Amino acid sequence: MTSQPEIVSFEDSIKAMEPLRQAVSALGIELVDAQLDKFYTYYKEMVDWNQRVNLTGITEFQDVLTKHYLDSLSVSLALSDELKSNGSFIDVGTGAGFPGIPLCLAFPGMGGTLLDATGKKTIFLEYIVEILGLDRLSVVKDRAETLAMAPEHREVYDIVLGRGLAGMAAFAELTLPFAKVGGLVIAQKLTNSSEEIAAASNAIELLGGELKEIIQVAQKGLENRALVVVKKIMPTPMRYPRRPGSPSKNPL
Ligand code: SAH
């Protein structure tokens, strides 16, 4: 059993979520009560659905706050004020919605696509996007290798996100095709990933990207996390991504 605070009212949910409000203030994010209440609803629904559908291994309340919510919101360290106010993104392999849903809850002007290949996850995502009123988000069930060939998704996004998706070279192939030229790809990695990142430099270049910076997250509880920020500087050649499975099986 997971320990879940017994919440009976809006006031109680705000009280339970107070540690999140404090933690995100260190990221320069202010959350009002209505936003905290939505974060609570998201937690409750995810843990409930998780009994029937395998959405996440992280279900303890404190862990959800730190490892899912705060970690997702740490992506904002790589975003300009303009992107935070109206940037479009695709979250590739979003799973139960991380990092895309917390970002949209914190920055309601942002919007875009939550992508996952697993139908059970996208059914949950459709439900939660609806009940949280996230009308700027749409949910797509597909593989990145296929969706990246669709003209309405290829090279159109300001930001491409992905957490826990693949090693850096495969990650680059699954994400860079979605970014517009001038856009950003943000990989959430561990701080000790420098070899993996160096080994992906050829792939990043082939796909039209350039390593821009590595940001150490350094928030409490996330000391080993880093953001690898890649800028798209050239269009991605149409031969990428290769067919489903190839990016991970045989990384560039
Ligand atoms: N981003 C989430 C989930 C990580 S698990 C989090 O950090 O919590 C990786 C997810 O990516 C899984 O849900 C899996 O279904 C999805 N996935 C893996 N390869 C994919 C691909 N090629 N296209 C789309 N989704 C993919």
Side-chain angles (χ1 to χ4, degrees), residues 68 93-95 98 115-118 121 142-145 163-165 174:
H68 277 330
T94 186
F98 304 110
L115 172 65
D116 205 281
T118 305
K121 293 182 181 172
D142 205 342
R143 291 196 62 119
E145 296 92 322
R163 188 182 78 160
L165 176 66
L174 294 172

Side-chain angles (χ1 to χ4, degrees), residues 139-161:
V139 175
V140 176
K141 178 200 168 298
D142 205 342
R143 291 196 62 119
E145 296 92 322
T146 313
L147 195 74
M149 291 298 178
E152 63 274 32
H153 292 281
R154 191 176 180 92
E155 300 197 319
V156 299
Y157 294 97
D158 298 321
I159 309 154
V160 188
L161 304 167

Side-chain angles (χ1 to χ4, degrees), residues 100-228:
I101 289 180
L103 273 180
C104 262
L105 287 175
F107 303 106
M110 292 184 79
T113 304
L114 300 174
L115 172 65
D116 205 281
T118 305
K120 285 188 219 156
K121 293 182 181 172
T122 56
I123 290 170
F124 168 73
L125 292 168
E126 275 164 8
Y127 168 81
I128 196 75
V129 159
E130 171 80 28
I131 66 163
L132 296 176
L134 296 171
D135 49 18
R136 288 170 193 263
L137 273 183
S138 55
V139 175
V140 176
K141 178 200 168 298
D142 205 342
R143 291 196 62 119
E145 296 92 322
T146 313
L147 195 74
M149 291 298 178
E152 63 274 32
H153 292 281
R154 191 176 180 92
E155 300 197 319
V156 299
Y157 294 97
D158 298 321
I159 309 154
V160 188
L161 304 167
R163 188 182 78 160
L165 176 66
M168 193 63 202
F171 180 92
E173 188 171 354
L174 294 172
T175 55
L176 269 162
F178 290 107
K180 58 166 75 154
V181 174
L184 298 178
V185 170
I186 304 170
Q188 295 184 257
K189 293 283 178 190
L190 296 174
T191 43
N192 62 3
S193 307
S194 40
E195 267 180 42
E196 180 189 332
I197 296 162
S201 60
N202 188 43
I204 291 171
E205 197 187 321
L206 279 175
L207 293 154
E210 181 180 68
L211 182 61
K212 185 176 167 231
E213 57 183 329
I214 298 174
I215 301 172
Q216 308 294 328
V217 172
Q219 302 297 311
K220 193 160 173 286
L222 303 175
E223 290 83 358
N224 63 345
R225 311 285 296 159
L227 305 173
V228 181

